Amino acid sequence: MVSSLHRPTKAIVNLEAISRNIQTVVRHIPNQAKVWAVVKANAYGHGAVAVAQHVERAVDGFCVSNVDEAIELRRAGILKSILVLGVVLPDEVYLAQEYGLTLTVSSLKWVTLAKRLGTQLKGLTCHIKIDSGMGRIGVRDQLEAEAVMSELKEQGAFVEGIFTHFATADEADDQFFKEQLSFFQDLVSRLQDCPPIIHASNSATSIWHAETIFNAVRLGLVLYGLNPSGGALDLPYALEPALRLESALVQVKKVPAGTAVGYGETYHTPKSEWIGTLPIGYADGWTRDMQDFKVLVEGEFCQIIGRVSMDQVTIRLPKKYPLGTRVILLGDSGEQSISATDVANKRGTINYEVLCLLSDRVPREY
């Protein structure tokens, strides 16, 4: 999808805020821990290449979802280690070797398949994923973990790390978190030859369970200044949201009472009203369920009226505004603000999804 550069809708990303967030989190974690910046899904909508280039000196490496995301970083000049968190099938291992990537290995079946296909694993750097309770990918017991590491080493791979992922580290009830942690600690402690890097801490674990950090952390949403729990838990220290979403009025008109607005006639003006139109819609990630939510115009909340279209949104204005007046969809205006968490609460989802849904059609400015 091509970025729509010639319209006023854009996401403005404050890279310095991301750097400050890293510094803030790092001050509260053990000094010996390696710090990896998670830049998967286009850095949670912020722009993976721009973010990685800006913070490379401040971190020890990066985490991505898949090989293509990693290759994008390498081609952009990123030199530090890149861990691919998802499963890469054996027939794509050559790409990891070509670009110097670290792969996640999550089962003995994967190693067996690679061997059967004749996949060359010599020189490949790997981390073993342990399923301590997420139920997605990963080894479920010590014997399989030992077998995976043994097979990888036999085929010439370097097993650099072992890790797991917590399902409830961002929830007030920490019982299941403790069960997962205990499972992982026990498995790691019984390994005959444990890999040098052990990591389990994502954003939530790093800020609310820093005492459980091993020797590396994977910092995701906190880099971008948002609360991983939404509002379930208070942040222990302040972070700076790094992304601002704005547009501008491209039409302003006064309509009489009883005027229908938008598809399906879901809104009729109860009286004569000023209506403004913004060039943003669900194709940009501003989804249809944002009807009746709000935006900010010169520090004042204005309601979204009528259905959100693919390319446009209509809002009710308190007065006539000039064309080109800036409108804030995420960010501050005057003394008011709208956060990704506010939008998530309206949609019944999480702030991660709000950011990741911002499409490539919305240009990022840094």
Side-chain angles (χ1 to χ4, degrees), residues 53-205:
Q53 289 175 336
H54 187 76
V55 306
E56 186 170 16
R57 292 184 180 180
V59 298
D60 296 290
F62 298 93
C63 296
V64 297
S65 169
N66 56 65
V67 166
D68 297 286
E69 291 181 342
I71 291 173
E72 179 186 37
L73 297 185
R74 284 286 187 249
R75 289 177 174 172
I78 298 301
L79 299 176
K80 287 192 174 176
S81 65
I82 302 175
L83 170 62
V84 179
L85 296 171
V87 175
V88 175
L89 292 176
D91 58 0
E92 296 173 330
V93 166
Y94 75 96
L95 290 169
Q97 294 165 324
E98 180 180 346
Y99 286 95
L101 311 177
T102 302
L103 294 189
T104 292
V105 177
S106 64
S107 70
L108 183 58
K109 289 181 179 179
W110 186 94
V111 184
T112 302
L113 176 60
K115 192 172 184 178
R116 179 164 60 83
L117 294 176
T119 304
Q120 177 59 254
L121 301 183
K122 186 176 182 180
L124 181 69
T125 301
C126 303
H127 285 214
I128 309 301
K129 176 67 179 291
I130 303 299
D131 177 8
S132 60
M134 274 291 285
R136 302 186 306 188
I137 65 171
V139 173
R140 286 289 294 172
D141 59 66
Q142 179 204 350
L143 291 178
E144 186 177 0
E146 296 274 17
V148 169
M149 289 191 290
S150 176
E151 285 287 340
L152 287 171
K153 291 174 184 178
E154 184 179 312
Q155 296 183 50
F158 171 47
V159 182
E160 178 189 55
I162 187 167
F163 72 107
T164 194
H165 189 62
F166 295 116
T168 60
D170 57 357
E171 296 181 9
D173 185 347
D174 64 358
Q175 180 58 40
F176 190 64
F177 167 80
K178 290 178 179 178
E179 291 175 12
Q180 281 193 265
L181 177 62
S182 177
F183 179 96
F184 183 65
Q185 287 174 321
D186 181 63
L187 186 149
V188 167
S189 69
R190 290 187 285 112
L191 292 177
Q192 294 182 13
D193 185 16
C194 187
I197 299 178
I198 307 170
H199 53 110
S201 298
N202 57 2
S203 287
T205 314

Side-chain angles (χ1 to χ4, degrees), residues 26-27 29-34:
V26 166
R27 282 198 298 268
I29 64 175
N31 291 331
Q32 78 277 8
K34 291 182 178 294

Side-chain angles (χ1 to χ4, degrees), residues 127 204 277 321:
H127 285 214
T277 301
Y321 286 97

Side-chain angles (χ1 to χ4, degrees), residues 28 59 79 96 177 195-196 223 251 258 271 298 304 346 353-354:
H28 295 85
V59 298
L79 299 176
F177 167 80
L223 298 186
Q251 179 155 354
K271 59 183 181 179
E298 294 186 350
I304 296 173
K346 170 65 171 69
E353 185 177 39
V354 172

